[in-house]
Amino acid sequence: MTISSISDLAQSLQLRRDNADLRSRLMEATRELSTGRSADVVGKLGGDFAPLSDIEVGLKRAESFLNNISEQRLRYQSAQAALGTIRDITGQVAGPLILVQETSDADLVRNAARDALARFDSVVGALNSSISSATLFAGVSSDAPALAPADTILAALESDVAAAGAATAEDVAAVVAAWFDTGGGFDTVAYLGGVAATNGLPVSETAMAAPLVTAADPAIRDVLESLALAALAGRGALDGAPEEQARLTRASGLRLMTADEGLVELMADIGTQESRIARAEAETRARRESLEMARSDLVGVDPYDAATRLQATEAQLESLYAMTARLSRLSLTDYLR
Amino acid sequence: MSISASISNALSGLTAASRAAELVSSNVSNAMTEGYARRELNLSPRFTGGIGAGVQVDGVTRVVNEVTLRERRLAEADRGLVQAGADFYKDLLRLVGEAGETGSLTDIQADFEASLIQAVSRPDSETRLADVLANAQALAAKLASVGDGIQDLRQDADRTILAEVDRLNATLSRISDLNGEVLRLRATDASYPDLLDQRQSLIDDISALVPVRQLPRDNGTVALYTMGGALLVDVGPATFGFQSTAPITADMTVASGALSGLTLNGEPVQTLGSNAPIAGGRLAGLFEVRDVMAPGAQRNIDEVARDLVSRFEAPGPDPTLAPGDPGLFSDSGTSLDVARIDGLSARLTVNALADPASGGALWRLRDGLGATAPGPVGDGAILTAYVDAVATAAAPLGGTLGTAAKSLSGLASAMTSSVGQALSSQSAQLSFASARFDSLRNEELSLGVDTDQEMQKLLLIEQAYAANARVIQTIDELLDRLIGL
């Protein structure tokens, strides 16, 4: 006669297996609740990590783009400030220079010229400004100053003027113009920086920020050339011919007015670049947010869901314990006393 | 009916009852023993000369469901096969790291890419360049550690195969010995349930390693075959041969002769594929790990290494390199040799020219590895080219990770996904095989000892024994009265 029964071993094995299963589910729910991330990512994604890793790489790239943007913005702002300072200086000094006439008092001329000399120094200083020990207008050689000291530049100009034997304001202006032209003394004596950078700076997945101009840019050369005319007069050029000196000084002021336009264009350019990187920043931030949302969609776990599951598993485990205790008491042996 | 016949009947009853009690005690004491088959006593009326003469003990039967037993053994073998693969891929995924985990392959590659992008902003900064170098070295080290880890797992599989083959051989010879003992005991007409228990548990031992088919012979012995058709035990045991190899490197295979295959009674046998004599069990699974799964994973990681090296080589983002010069990443200092891709991951190094610790200089990261002197400190052109080189989608050169164009990060994630997907599929198979095994085992165990049932039997036995003893007492009184006349 076959009476089917459950052997002791089978029963205990089943209870042990159920216990282990519930405990592991409990641990999983606990971990998900505390980290907010799915405990079994492989299972959730079916082993395909491509979307998740794309998100992670995208997020890391976005962080580095934002870093680049903040550094470049600082550079642009500092460059704008320097160019703004130069515009202020030239604006202030152009006025007195233009007022000089051929018939002006020698003292007037000399004062205006000396003022221009002092300002030339300031302009050179502004062009040598640096951020985190990298010169702004020195191109790729950012460890070098952009321009030689004002004294060196003017001394070189003076010796060239003397060598050419210039006696009129036009002659001096011609020598100075040749010196500031490409291939002249400016490239060898005055400009100490390197070539302009050829590569842009990656600031978003699609955009690159343009590098800054160097001090060898034609617009800046123009300003320096214009101011140098009066600065030379301030150092004593054409001292023997006060009329020529006055004409030189006045010519400097007039040129400064036209050179100002070039500066304005430069500053407008930088302004455009600043707004471009502001757009890139907005784009990158938006992308970062959407990537983070996508990541939580993929592997994130709703804390409410995890907490509910945790409670349910707890309750199940407790009832399993109660049942195990009950079943172990149900033995005929206990009753056969 | 004579009085002495009554006594002999009652005595046979007592014997039967005490035999039954012995069985109950044996069952109860083995209630927790796995592999113990519940004993039942077979009783039948005894006839001498056509007349009833008490009860006789026919023998002891072991309660075993042969069908369930056979199915359970096959399920166990299947589980062993899948478990070997699942364990391998689980370990491998831990080595490679899931996407998003710190220290995973994709994470380290993303750090490298990010540090390049930031270095373009400050090419003059030693800190940024040192960051790039450190991240490059971390990436090379990660690829090397994955490659080494794969060979270690191969080594583990190889060692385990040796241990299991030894165990298999020992068990087969013991089964054969038991066959011999069974033959002897049959000759003496004794019953031998303990030997059968032992034989069953020995066959269970090897059923996880190779799926076995048991054929009972008329003389009480069994012949064992694998499902693949190899004879394990008949008259004598078969012997498997295997040699362990240490250490194992990426280029060693069975075909090259560097790794040992399996021999059965001295003849080499196939170990892979569904036609192999040992197919379907843990042993076959381990061979598959060593000879198919691990080399496949090695090829994948070598593909990533190869892609990394060739993205930076000449002609590439660094214009200072001459043709044939190694780039930022090299095969232990030399450029890529397409004939020697196996094990490339272990030989991957960052070019010493860029490493101050190996006599190089950080400025070479900015100015090019072939540069003889530092260039302008603000020149980010080569670094920008590196950024582009890493992000460009190019078709992988080896083809083991697909032919679609991928960036470097895409290739790293393809490698991780190859492991993840393999693990996912093995896990699914494993959970099915485990569930099947569990349910068959449950069914098998349900025939085991139930102490409640044994206690109930004991009540009956007590009663029977008491009754038989009472009969003897009464007969004894009768005889006394007869003799005391």
Side-chain angles (χ1 to χ4, degrees), chain B residues 4-206:
Chain B
S4 57
S6 322
I7 292 187
S8 96
N9 284 354
L11 277 177
S12 75
L14 285 179
T15 316
S18 48
R19 263 323 277 289
E22 184 197 326
L23 277 190
V24 165
S25 74
S26 163
N27 280 347
V28 167
S29 65
N30 280 303
M32 309 233 295
T33 314
E34 296 213 13
Y36 176 86
R38 177 161 56 91
R39 315 270 196 256
E40 269 187 357
L41 197 60
N42 290 339
L43 299 172
S44 62
R46 192 168 55 182
F47 290 98
T48 38
I51 309 168
V55 66
Q56 71 180 6
V57 175
D58 284 336
V60 172
T61 35
R62 296 170 64 242
V63 177
V64 169
N65 185 337
E66 291 291 334
V67 175
T68 314
L69 180 68
R70 187 183 63 224
E71 289 300 310
R72 190 263 299 162
R73 282 183 178 149
L74 291 179
E76 196 169 354
D78 192 38
R79 187 182 70 162
L81 169 67
V82 181
Q83 182 94 55
D87 284 346
F88 170 72
Y89 283 118
K90 193 154 25 137
D91 288 336
L92 185 56
L93 187 61
R94 204 175 306 128
L95 270 178
V96 173
E98 291 177 13
E101 250 177 30
T102 326
S104 67
L105 177 64
T106 47
D107 187 65
I108 292 180
Q109 188 277 327
D111 280 342
F112 173 59
E113 205 170 325
S115 67
L116 277 175
I117 292 174
Q118 294 198 18
V120 176
S121 177
R122 293 293 314 269
D124 57 316
S125 160
E126 286 257 318
T127 320
R128 296 277 166 99
L129 294 176
D131 238 5
V132 169
L133 181 71
N135 283 321
Q137 284 171 331
L139 185 55
K142 180 69 179 177
L143 287 170
S145 86
V146 171
D148 287 344
I150 291 173
Q151 296 308 316
D152 282 345
L153 288 173
R154 258 181 118 192
Q155 184 78 67
D156 287 345
D158 193 79
R159 249 201 313 268
T160 312
I161 292 174
L162 181 67
E164 301 287 38
V165 163
D166 285 345
R167 191 157 73 100
L168 187 58
N169 285 336
T171 313
L172 286 175
S173 88
R174 280 172 64 198
I175 293 174
S176 174
D177 289 343
L178 277 175
N179 269 347
E181 287 198 31
V182 162
L183 263 180
R184 237 181 326 107
L185 280 179
R186 265 183 92 88
T188 67
D189 228 7
S191 81
Y192 41 86
D194 300 313
L195 287 181
L196 295 178
D197 270 349
Q198 232 188 330
R199 193 172 67 187
Q200 182 177 314
S201 86
L202 285 175
I203 298 177
D204 280 349
D205 268 352
I206 61 174

Side-chain angles (χ1 to χ4, degrees), chain B residues 257-311:
Chain B
L259 290 178
S260 164
L262 192 66
T263 62
L264 177 57
N265 297 329
E267 295 292 322
V269 289
Q270 201 182 338
T271 54
L272 302 169
S274 49
N275 293 329
I278 57 160
R282 182 165 151 77
L283 200 56
L286 287 168
F287 271 106
E288 182 146 349
V289 166
R290 189 193 72 167
D291 296 332
V292 174
M293 291 177 177
Q298 181 70 45
R299 272 195 296 277
N300 284 347
I301 197 73
D302 285 339
E303 175 85 334
V304 179
R306 174 189 185 158
D307 194 68
L308 185 61
V309 172
S310 54
R311 275 178 198 260

Side-chain angles (χ1 to χ4, degrees), chain A residues 169-248:
Chain A
E170 284 78 21
D171 290 341
V172 173
V175 169
V176 170
W179 198 86
F180 274 95
D181 215 355
T182 28
F186 180 85
D187 291 331
T188 45
V189 174
Y191 183 64
L192 300 177
V195 298
T198 46
N199 61 295
L201 181 67
V203 288
S204 81
E205 294 291 348
T206 47
M208 302 265 262
L212 282 174
V213 294
T214 64
D217 187 79
I220 296 180
R221 284 168 118 119
D222 225 5
V223 171
L224 286 170
E225 189 186 322
S226 315
L227 198 52
L229 294 174
L232 283 174
R235 277 167 72 105
L238 298 174
D239 255 348
E243 280 169 12
E244 296 298 323
Q245 207 180 53
R247 278 174 54 207
L248 186 64

Side-chain angles (χ1 to χ4, degrees), chain B residues 75-88 90 422-438:
Chain B
E76 196 169 354
D78 192 38
R79 187 182 70 162
L81 169 67
V82 181
Q83 182 94 55
D87 284 346
F88 170 72
K90 193 154 25 137
L423 175 61
S424 186
S425 110
Q426 289 284 113
S427 294
Q429 285 180 41
L430 180 61
S431 69
F432 171 69
S434 292
R436 193 157 156 262
F437 170 75
D438 282 343

